[in-house]
Amino acid sequence: MVLNKHNHITGSRLRDARILANKTAKEVAAQIGVSAQALSLYEHEKATPNAENFRQLSIIYGLPISFYYKPEITSKPDGDVYFRSFSSATKLKRDKAFTQAKLFVNDIVGLIGSKIKFPPVDPLFNKIKTSTNIDEDNFDYEVMAKVIRRSWNLGYEPIQDLMYELEKRGIIIMVIDLPEQIDGFSFWFGGRPYMVLNSENNFFRLRMSMAHELCHLFFHGALDDISKDLKRIEQDAKNFAGAFLLPDVTVKKYINSATLQELARLKPQTKLSITGMIKRCSQLTLISPEREVSLQKQISSKRWRKVEPFDDYYSPERPVLIKQAIELLVDKKIYTKQ
């Protein structure tokens, strides 16, 4: 275990533990019988909790005592963190989700990365991020989705294992228990792209989240003000995700009448939700706006808004990169399973 230099309680770790417990400073302070100001002093290392207060905190947070003596995490992401469904998730929930990711990157990925070499980040990321030929204000998601697919030799058919393809190109993916309002988020850290995805999402929604976050990782790393551009970049990401998962040539190959029955039948082949296929048909003007509205009403009448046919038929994709790295380190007796 790596301890901080002075072997004392690390204040920021107290704050991280509180956020992971999904509690406000006011709530915790009341539970242990101190003021919120006193708790803030603990978390900023301007005061140290006495033995009894620390014991109560450790019980409330439920983390190993060793956690609080690890060094402070001072490194930060290389830019903005992009939360899908940003507007509906509270700050407390977003903070908890990012704290989970921060600890994963620092305490797990950092440790493994010191022993094992991860796949290099695909050079296409840097090529696109530094390109001066991409107009962010007039983002052509159809073209860019094809560029990435072509560069990665993915063809135009539905991708069989999208998560594997992303990990192979240097993206580290974490699938964890996130609040219902957060489908996923992404960020760059130490020159490497990361995705954090909601483990409760079904096969189809998880793939949509991956494609959505891929857009952020490629195209939205240099924005000056995320809140100012949020609506536009989220729409860009939604459009790109559909185009990346089901290119126009493939839509036209599979979909003929665009009835609800046909779309339901094609769902296992296209690996895209019925709602997603309707949106693609609309984007490509294969159906009229009126027809799109009619199809959406049919979905509501069939009560498919939350659960569509085949949603539970396929197991969601899961990351293997970190799992395989841990297994290798254990097999070589560098670390134990504990």
Side-chain angles (χ1 to χ4, degrees):
M1 178 183 70
V2 179
L3 299 176
N4 59 47
K5 286 183 179 180
H6 306 292
N7 196 22
H8 64 211
I9 297 169
T10 303
S12 61
R13 292 276 177 165
L14 286 172
R15 181 177 183 275
D16 288 342
R18 174 175 59 76
I19 291 172
L20 289 175
N22 207 35
K23 292 181 178 293
T24 65
K26 186 176 180 180
E27 288 171 337
V28 173
Q31 283 184 269
I32 67 172
V34 300
S35 66
Q37 182 182 15
L39 187 67
S40 178
L41 292 175
Y42 300 159
E43 294 182 352
H44 290 86
E45 284 189 39
K46 294 184 178 179
T48 303
N50 61 37
E52 176 57 22
N53 284 343
F54 181 53
R55 185 187 71 82
Q56 291 185 62
L57 289 172
S58 65
I59 291 172
I60 292 169
Y61 299 151
L63 294 174
I65 296 298
S66 60
F67 174 84
Y68 305 100
Y69 290 89
K70 290 183 178 181
E72 179 179 7
I73 300 173
T74 56
S75 50
K76 296 181 179 181
D78 313 337
D80 286 314
V81 178
Y82 294 96
F83 280 89
R84 189 174 179 204
S85 300
F86 184 100
S87 59
S88 64
T90 65
K91 183 179 185 304
L92 189 63
K93 290 178 179 178
R94 296 196 305 272
D95 285 347
K96 177 182 177 179
F98 181 68
T99 298
Q100 288 175 281
K102 179 181 70 172
L103 294 170
F104 172 76
V105 172
N106 186 80
D107 294 356
I108 299 178
V109 177
L111 185 65
I112 294 172
S114 68
K115 305 293 183 182
I116 289 179
K117 192 173 183 180
F118 290 121
V121 177
D122 194 284
L124 183 63
F125 281 105
N126 187 59
K127 184 177 180 181
I128 286 180
K129 284 165 73 71
T130 57
S131 174
T132 58
N133 298 321
I134 299 173
D135 184 356
E136 289 183 344
D137 293 326
N138 296 285
F139 182 65
D140 193 330
Y141 53 87
E142 297 285 349
V143 170
M144 295 316 303
K146 286 180 181 177
V147 166
I148 295 169
R149 271 182 167 262
R150 186 166 57 247
S151 298
W152 285 356
N153 297 313
L154 296 174
Y156 295 119
E157 287 294 308
I159 300 166
Q160 291 303 307
D161 191 337
L162 178 57
M163 194 170 290
Y164 168 77
E165 295 293 343
L166 298 182
E167 286 192 306
K168 188 168 71 172
R169 288 166 175 87
I171 302 175
I172 292 182
I173 301 175
M174 178 183 179
V175 179
I176 61 172
D177 182 19
L178 291 174
E180 184 181 358
Q181 299 92 335
I182 300 176
D183 282 330
F185 59 98
S186 56
F187 54 92
W188 284 82
F189 193 98
R192 183 174 291 278
Y194 288 81
M195 283 186 192
V196 183
L197 305 168
N198 195 322
S199 61
E200 293 301 310
N201 281 346
N202 63 46
F203 173 87
F204 301 94
R205 187 159 184 164
L206 189 70
R207 284 169 63 90
M208 182 62 75
S209 290
M210 282 189 276
H212 184 110
E213 299 307 328
L214 185 65
C215 181
H216 289 321
L217 292 171
F218 263 116
F219 303 106
H220 300 143
L223 293 173
D224 295 325
D225 187 349
I226 182 174
S227 60
K228 175 183 174 183
D229 294 303
L230 182 62
K231 187 174 181 180
R232 177 181 64 80
I233 67 174
E234 281 298 291
Q235 190 59 54
D236 284 349
K238 288 178 184 178
N239 291 338
F240 170 88
F244 183 75
L245 292 174
L246 203 64
D248 55 0
V249 293
T250 311
V251 173
K252 294 169 185 176
K253 173 184 174 181
Y254 282 102
I255 299 173
N256 295 309
S257 58
T259 63
L260 215 55
Q261 292 73 19
E262 180 188 48
L263 298 179
R265 177 176 56 80
L266 289 172
K267 185 174 175 178
Q269 293 174 263
T270 62
K271 301 187 185 302
L272 190 64
S273 69
I274 297 171
T275 300
M277 283 187 278
I278 292 172
K279 180 55 66 176
R280 282 300 285 145
C281 289
S282 176
Q283 288 171 339
L284 298 170
T285 64
L286 298 179
I287 58 174
S288 67
E290 293 77 18
R291 177 64 175 158
E292 181 183 5
V293 170
S294 173
L295 288 168
Q296 293 292 356
K297 286 181 178 179
Q298 291 178 52
I299 283 180
S300 296
S301 68
K302 290 180 177 292
R303 298 183 179 178
W304 288 358
R305 188 62 59 196
K306 289 187 176 181
V307 180
E308 293 183 358
F310 297 108
D311 274 357
D312 299 325
Y313 192 79
Y314 296 94
S315 297
E317 296 169 20
R318 287 295 181 256
V320 298
L321 184 61
I322 297 298
K323 180 176 180 289
Q324 290 176 346
I326 291 173
E327 289 172 349
L328 179 62
L329 291 172
V330 171
D331 288 344
K332 290 185 174 292
K333 301 189 186 305
I334 296 175
Y335 295 114
T336 66
K337 287 183 178 181
Q338 287 73 26

